[in-house]
Short mmCIF file of all heavy atoms in Angstrom, two decimals:
data_model
loop_
_atom_site.label_atom_id
_atom_site.label_comp_id
_atom_site.label_asym_id
_atom_site.label_seq_id
_atom_site.Cartn_x
_atom_site.Cartn_y
_atom_site.Cartn_z
N ILE A 165 -4.24 12.87 9.67
CA ILE A 165 -3.02 12.66 10.46
C ILE A 165 -3.49 12.42 11.88
O ILE A 165 -4.15 13.27 12.48
CB ILE A 165 -2.08 13.88 10.39
CG1 ILE A 165 -1.63 14.12 8.95
CG2 ILE A 165 -0.89 13.67 11.33
CD1 ILE A 165 -0.87 15.42 8.74
N ILE A 166 -3.20 11.23 12.38
CA ILE A 166 -3.56 10.85 13.74
C ILE A 166 -2.27 10.84 14.55
O ILE A 166 -1.34 10.10 14.24
CB ILE A 166 -4.21 9.46 13.80
CG1 ILE A 166 -5.38 9.34 12.81
CG2 ILE A 166 -4.62 9.11 15.23
CD1 ILE A 166 -6.58 10.18 13.14
N ASP A 167 -2.22 11.66 15.56
CA ASP A 167 -1.02 11.79 16.39
C ASP A 167 -1.41 11.55 17.85
O ASP A 167 -2.59 11.51 18.18
CB ASP A 167 -0.43 13.20 16.22
CG ASP A 167 1.03 13.29 16.59
OD1 ASP A 167 1.62 12.30 17.07
OD2 ASP A 167 1.60 14.39 16.42
N ASP A 168 -0.42 11.36 18.68
CA ASP A 168 -0.64 11.24 20.12
C ASP A 168 0.53 11.94 20.79
O ASP A 168 1.59 11.34 20.98
CB ASP A 168 -0.73 9.78 20.54
CG ASP A 168 -1.09 9.62 22.01
OD1 ASP A 168 -1.05 10.63 22.75
OD2 ASP A 168 -1.42 8.50 22.42
N THR A 169 0.33 13.21 21.12
CA THR A 169 1.43 13.99 21.68
C THR A 169 1.78 13.58 23.10
O THR A 169 2.79 14.05 23.64
CB THR A 169 1.12 15.50 21.63
OG1 THR A 169 -0.11 15.75 22.32
CG2 THR A 169 1.03 15.99 20.20
N SER A 170 0.99 12.69 23.70
CA SER A 170 1.33 12.21 25.04
C SER A 170 2.44 11.17 24.99
O SER A 170 3.03 10.83 26.00
CB SER A 170 0.11 11.61 25.73
OG SER A 170 -0.29 10.41 25.10
N ARG A 171 2.74 10.67 23.80
CA ARG A 171 3.84 9.72 23.66
C ARG A 171 4.72 10.17 22.50
O ARG A 171 4.24 10.74 21.53
CB ARG A 171 3.33 8.30 23.45
CG ARG A 171 2.56 8.11 22.16
CD ARG A 171 2.10 6.70 21.99
NE ARG A 171 3.08 5.98 21.19
CZ ARG A 171 2.83 4.87 20.53
NH1 ARG A 171 1.66 4.31 20.62
NH2 ARG A 171 3.76 4.30 19.82
N TYR A 207 -6.24 16.96 11.13
CA TYR A 207 -5.27 16.53 12.14
C TYR A 207 -6.01 16.23 13.42
O TYR A 207 -6.87 17.00 13.86
CB TYR A 207 -4.23 17.62 12.39
CG TYR A 207 -3.33 17.32 13.56
CD1 TYR A 207 -2.24 16.47 13.42
CD2 TYR A 207 -3.57 17.88 14.81
CE1 TYR A 207 -1.42 16.18 14.51
CE2 TYR A 207 -2.75 17.61 15.89
CZ TYR A 207 -1.68 16.76 15.73
OH TYR A 207 -0.86 16.46 16.80
N THR A 208 -5.68 15.09 14.05
CA THR A 208 -6.26 14.73 15.34
C THR A 208 -5.16 14.31 16.28
O THR A 208 -4.32 13.47 15.94
CB THR A 208 -7.26 13.56 15.18
OG1 THR A 208 -8.28 13.95 14.26
CG2 THR A 208 -7.90 13.21 16.52
N ASP A 209 -5.17 14.89 17.47
CA ASP A 209 -4.25 14.51 18.53
C ASP A 209 -5.04 13.64 19.50
O ASP A 209 -5.95 14.11 20.17
CB ASP A 209 -3.71 15.75 19.23
CG ASP A 209 -2.71 15.44 20.33
OD1 ASP A 209 -2.55 14.25 20.69
OD2 ASP A 209 -2.09 16.38 20.84
N LEU A 210 -4.71 12.34 19.54
CA LEU A 210 -5.46 11.40 20.37
C LEU A 210 -5.40 11.76 21.85
O LEU A 210 -6.31 11.41 22.60
CB LEU A 210 -4.94 9.98 20.16
CG LEU A 210 -5.20 9.39 18.78
CD1 LEU A 210 -4.54 8.02 18.67
CD2 LEU A 210 -6.69 9.31 18.48
N SER A 211 -4.36 12.47 22.28
CA SER A 211 -4.27 12.84 23.70
C SER A 211 -5.31 13.90 24.06
O SER A 211 -5.52 14.18 25.23
CB SER A 211 -2.87 13.34 24.04
OG SER A 211 -2.62 14.60 23.46
N ARG A 212 -5.96 14.47 23.07
CA ARG A 212 -6.95 15.52 23.31
C ARG A 212 -8.35 15.12 22.86
O ARG A 212 -9.23 15.98 22.76
CB ARG A 212 -6.53 16.80 22.59
CG ARG A 212 -5.21 17.33 23.07
CD ARG A 212 -4.74 18.47 22.18
NE ARG A 212 -3.36 18.77 22.45
CZ ARG A 212 -2.95 19.86 23.06
NH1 ARG A 212 -3.80 20.75 23.46
NH2 ARG A 212 -1.66 20.05 23.26
N THR A 213 -8.57 13.85 22.56
CA THR A 213 -9.90 13.42 22.12
C THR A 213 -10.65 12.75 23.26
O THR A 213 -10.06 12.26 24.22
CB THR A 213 -9.80 12.42 20.95
OG1 THR A 213 -9.07 11.27 21.37
CG2 THR A 213 -9.15 13.04 19.73
N THR A 214 -11.94 12.70 23.11
CA THR A 214 -12.79 11.99 24.05
C THR A 214 -12.98 10.56 23.55
O THR A 214 -12.78 10.29 22.36
CB THR A 214 -14.17 12.69 24.16
OG1 THR A 214 -14.77 12.71 22.86
CG2 THR A 214 -14.02 14.10 24.70
N PRO A 215 -13.36 9.64 24.42
CA PRO A 215 -13.54 8.25 23.99
C PRO A 215 -14.55 8.05 22.87
O PRO A 215 -14.47 7.07 22.13
CB PRO A 215 -14.00 7.54 25.27
CG PRO A 215 -13.47 8.38 26.38
CD PRO A 215 -13.51 9.79 25.86
N HIS A 217 -14.89 10.10 20.28
CA HIS A 217 -14.39 10.73 19.05
C HIS A 217 -14.15 9.64 18.00
O HIS A 217 -13.67 8.56 18.33
CB HIS A 217 -13.09 11.48 19.36
CG HIS A 217 -12.61 12.33 18.22
ND1 HIS A 217 -11.92 11.82 17.16
CD2 HIS A 217 -12.75 13.66 17.99
CE1 HIS A 217 -11.64 12.79 16.31
NE2 HIS A 217 -12.13 13.92 16.79
N PRO A 218 -14.47 9.91 16.73
CA PRO A 218 -14.28 8.90 15.68
C PRO A 218 -12.85 8.34 15.60
O PRO A 218 -12.67 7.17 15.26
CB PRO A 218 -14.65 9.64 14.40
CG PRO A 218 -15.53 10.76 14.83
CD PRO A 218 -15.09 11.13 16.21
N ALA A 219 -11.86 9.13 15.91
CA ALA A 219 -10.47 8.67 15.81
C ALA A 219 -10.01 7.89 17.04
O ALA A 219 -8.94 7.29 17.04
CB ALA A 219 -9.53 9.85 15.58
N ALA A 220 -10.81 7.89 18.10
CA ALA A 220 -10.41 7.25 19.35
C ALA A 220 -10.11 5.76 19.19
O ALA A 220 -9.32 5.20 19.94
CB ALA A 220 -11.48 7.46 20.42
N GLN A 221 -10.71 5.11 18.20
CA GLN A 221 -10.44 3.69 17.95
C GLN A 221 -8.97 3.42 17.66
O GLN A 221 -8.47 2.32 17.87
CB GLN A 221 -11.28 3.19 16.78
CG GLN A 221 -10.82 3.83 15.47
CD GLN A 221 -11.60 3.39 14.26
OE1 GLN A 221 -12.60 2.71 14.40
NE2 GLN A 221 -11.15 3.76 13.10
N TRP A 222 -8.26 4.45 17.20
CA TRP A 222 -6.86 4.27 16.85
C TRP A 222 -5.98 4.08 18.08
O TRP A 222 -4.90 3.51 17.98
CB TRP A 222 -6.37 5.42 15.98
CG TRP A 222 -6.90 5.27 14.59
CD1 TRP A 222 -7.97 5.92 14.04
CD2 TRP A 222 -6.43 4.38 13.60
NE1 TRP A 222 -8.18 5.48 12.76
CE2 TRP A 222 -7.25 4.54 12.46
CE3 TRP A 222 -5.39 3.46 13.54
CZ2 TRP A 222 -7.06 3.81 11.29
CZ3 TRP A 222 -5.20 2.73 12.38
CH2 TRP A 222 -6.03 2.91 11.27
N HIS A 223 -6.42 4.50 19.26
CA HIS A 223 -5.67 4.24 20.50
C HIS A 223 -5.39 2.75 20.62
O HIS A 223 -4.24 2.33 20.82
CB HIS A 223 -6.48 4.67 21.74
CG HIS A 223 -6.27 6.08 22.16
ND1 HIS A 223 -5.08 6.56 22.62
CD2 HIS A 223 -7.13 7.11 22.21
CE1 HIS A 223 -5.22 7.83 22.94
NE2 HIS A 223 -6.45 8.20 22.69
N GLN A 224 -6.43 1.96 20.50
CA GLN A 224 -6.31 0.51 20.66
C GLN A 224 -5.49 -0.10 19.54
O GLN A 224 -4.63 -0.96 19.77
CB GLN A 224 -7.69 -0.12 20.71
CG GLN A 224 -7.64 -1.61 20.96
CD GLN A 224 -9.03 -2.20 21.14
OE1 GLN A 224 -10.02 -1.48 21.26
NE2 GLN A 224 -9.10 -3.51 21.17
N THR A 225 -5.71 0.33 18.31
CA THR A 225 -4.96 -0.21 17.17
C THR A 225 -3.47 0.07 17.31
O THR A 225 -2.64 -0.80 17.06
CB THR A 225 -5.49 0.38 15.84
OG1 THR A 225 -6.89 0.11 15.75
CG2 THR A 225 -4.77 -0.20 14.65
N ILE A 226 -3.13 1.28 17.72
CA ILE A 226 -1.72 1.65 17.92
C ILE A 226 -1.10 0.75 18.97
O ILE A 226 0.00 0.22 18.79
CB ILE A 226 -1.60 3.14 18.31
CG1 ILE A 226 -1.95 4.02 17.12
CG2 ILE A 226 -0.21 3.46 18.84
CD1 ILE A 226 -2.19 5.48 17.47
N ARG A 227 -1.80 0.54 20.07
CA ARG A 227 -1.30 -0.29 21.16
C ARG A 227 -1.17 -1.76 20.72
O ARG A 227 -0.14 -2.39 20.92
CB ARG A 227 -2.24 -0.18 22.36
CG ARG A 227 -1.59 -0.40 23.67
CD ARG A 227 -2.50 -0.08 24.87
NE ARG A 227 -3.42 1.04 24.67
CZ ARG A 227 -4.76 0.90 24.57
NH1 ARG A 227 -5.32 -0.25 24.67
NH2 ARG A 227 -5.51 1.97 24.40
N SER A 232 3.97 3.14 15.45
CA SER A 232 4.55 4.43 15.79
C SER A 232 3.61 5.52 15.31
O SER A 232 2.89 5.35 14.33
CB SER A 232 5.91 4.60 15.11
OG SER A 232 6.84 3.70 15.63
N VAL A 233 3.61 6.63 16.02
CA VAL A 233 2.82 7.78 15.61
C VAL A 233 3.76 8.85 15.07
O VAL A 233 4.94 8.85 15.41
CB VAL A 233 1.97 8.34 16.77
CG1 VAL A 233 0.89 7.36 17.14
CG2 VAL A 233 2.81 8.71 17.97
N PRO A 234 3.29 9.72 14.22
CA PRO A 234 1.93 9.88 13.76
C PRO A 234 1.54 8.84 12.71
O PRO A 234 2.41 8.16 12.15
CB PRO A 234 1.93 11.29 13.15
CG PRO A 234 3.33 11.48 12.67
CD PRO A 234 4.19 10.74 13.66
N LEU A 235 0.23 8.74 12.46
CA LEU A 235 -0.29 7.88 11.42
C LEU A 235 -0.81 8.74 10.29
O LEU A 235 -1.38 9.81 10.53
CB LEU A 235 -1.45 7.02 11.94
CG LEU A 235 -1.23 6.20 13.19
CD1 LEU A 235 -2.52 5.48 13.56
CD2 LEU A 235 -0.09 5.21 13.00
N LEU A 237 -3.52 8.47 7.32
CA LEU A 237 -4.62 7.68 6.79
C LEU A 237 -5.16 8.36 5.55
O LEU A 237 -5.30 9.59 5.51
CB LEU A 237 -5.74 7.55 7.81
CG LEU A 237 -5.33 6.87 9.10
CD1 LEU A 237 -5.68 7.75 10.27
CD2 LEU A 237 -6.00 5.54 9.22
#
Side-chain angles (χ1 to χ4, degrees):
I165 298 171
I166 308 292
D167 201 356
D168 186 347
T169 56
S170 68
R171 64 179 266 200
Y207 171 81
T208 302
D209 182 351
L210 293 176
S211 71
R212 299 171 193 252
T213 60
T214 59
H217 189 279
Q221 68 180 8
W222 286 100
H223 271 295
Q224 183 174 350
T225 304
I226 290 166
R227 208 171 325 111
S232 293
V233 292
L235 307 178
L237 300 126

